[in-house]
Amino acid sequence: YALPEYVKPASVAIFEKHKVLSKKELESRVSVYMEKYSMQINIEASMMVEIANKMIFPAGNEYAADLAASINGLKSAGVKTVPTAQLEMLEDVVNALNCLKDETDKLKDVLEAVNAIEDETEQAVAFKEKVFTQMAVLRECGDDLEPIIGRDYWPLPTYEDMLFRMG
């Protein structure tokens, strides 16, 4: 992590020798950059939690409920063939929803713990190593749901929409 290198004695000496920045100026910049980084990741992670809980999970849940109703409807109609495709799809959706919920809860907990850290350097490192890492795990769960949930259910622009349909 590069920012703390700015305030090491060798770096400070070079900046001061060439009259670029003083030690206090370097410390101030590093402090501002650390705080800015922490705030940015905090905002992004908090939004991931909101989007997962308020948009993606409800959409996936609705799709799962409709799949279950379809399976039950086929059985009620007397269809003798087991609706294997629908059952497999439902299983995939439920597993992905479980992943989404579990990883969203983990991200929320990690965010809470990292926000309690008072040292700005330690906090920025924790945002990188813990929060950012958990964000990537949660992202995988959402990415797994996107291609299996019906287009009419998905509440966000898909990759396909962003690449080929948005103008």
Side-chain angles (χ1 to χ4, degrees), residues 78-144:
V79 174
K80 302 266 187 265
T81 305
V82 176
T84 307
Q86 291 91 330
L87 286 166
E88 287 177 10
M89 180 71 79
L90 180 58
E91 189 78 28
D92 290 345
V93 172
V94 170
N95 287 333
L97 285 171
N98 287 339
C99 175
L100 185 80
K101 177 71 171 112
D102 292 345
E103 299 307 329
T104 300
D105 290 346
K106 287 178 189 174
L107 178 56
K108 191 174 177 184
D109 293 343
V110 169
L111 258 175
E112 193 173 302
V114 170
N115 276 313
I117 298 171
E118 293 190 21
D119 180 78
E120 64 191 11
T121 300
E122 187 182 330
Q123 186 183 55
V125 168
F127 268 109
K128 169 67 175 125
E129 292 177 353
K130 295 178 181 175
V131 175
F132 194 75
T133 302
Q134 184 59 34
M135 288 169 69
V137 175
L138 175 55
R139 170 80 186 261
E140 286 181 31
C141 298
D143 287 350
D144 288 346

Side-chain angles (χ1 to χ4, degrees), residues 46-64 93 97 100-101 104 138 141-142 145-146 149-158:
S46 297
M47 289 309 304
M48 280 187 87
V49 169
E50 289 288 312
I51 290 168
N53 284 334
K54 294 183 178 177
M55 295 175 81
I56 297 173
F57 189 86
N61 194 49
E62 181 181 357
Y63 187 65
V93 172
L97 285 171
L100 185 80
K101 177 71 171 112
T104 300
L138 175 55
C141 298
L145 270 169
E146 181 182 335
I149 290 182
R151 178 182 271 290
D152 293 340
Y153 295 84
W154 193 251
L156 302 165
T158 64

Side-chain angles (χ1 to χ4, degrees), residues 23-71:
K23 182 178 180 181
K24 281 192 179 243
E25 290 169 323
L26 285 167
E27 289 171 345
S28 176
R29 284 178 184 230
V30 167
S31 175
V32 168
Y33 293 147
M34 292 284 196
E35 184 179 359
K36 181 180 177 188
Y37 176 79
S38 293
M39 285 186 349
Q40 184 70 38
I41 299 300
N42 186 42
I43 291 167
E44 290 178 18
S46 297
M47 289 309 304
M48 280 187 87
V49 169
E50 289 288 312
I51 290 168
N53 284 334
K54 294 183 178 177
M55 295 175 81
I56 297 173
F57 189 86
N61 194 49
E62 181 181 357
Y63 187 65
D66 286 353
L67 275 173
S70 170
I71 293 165

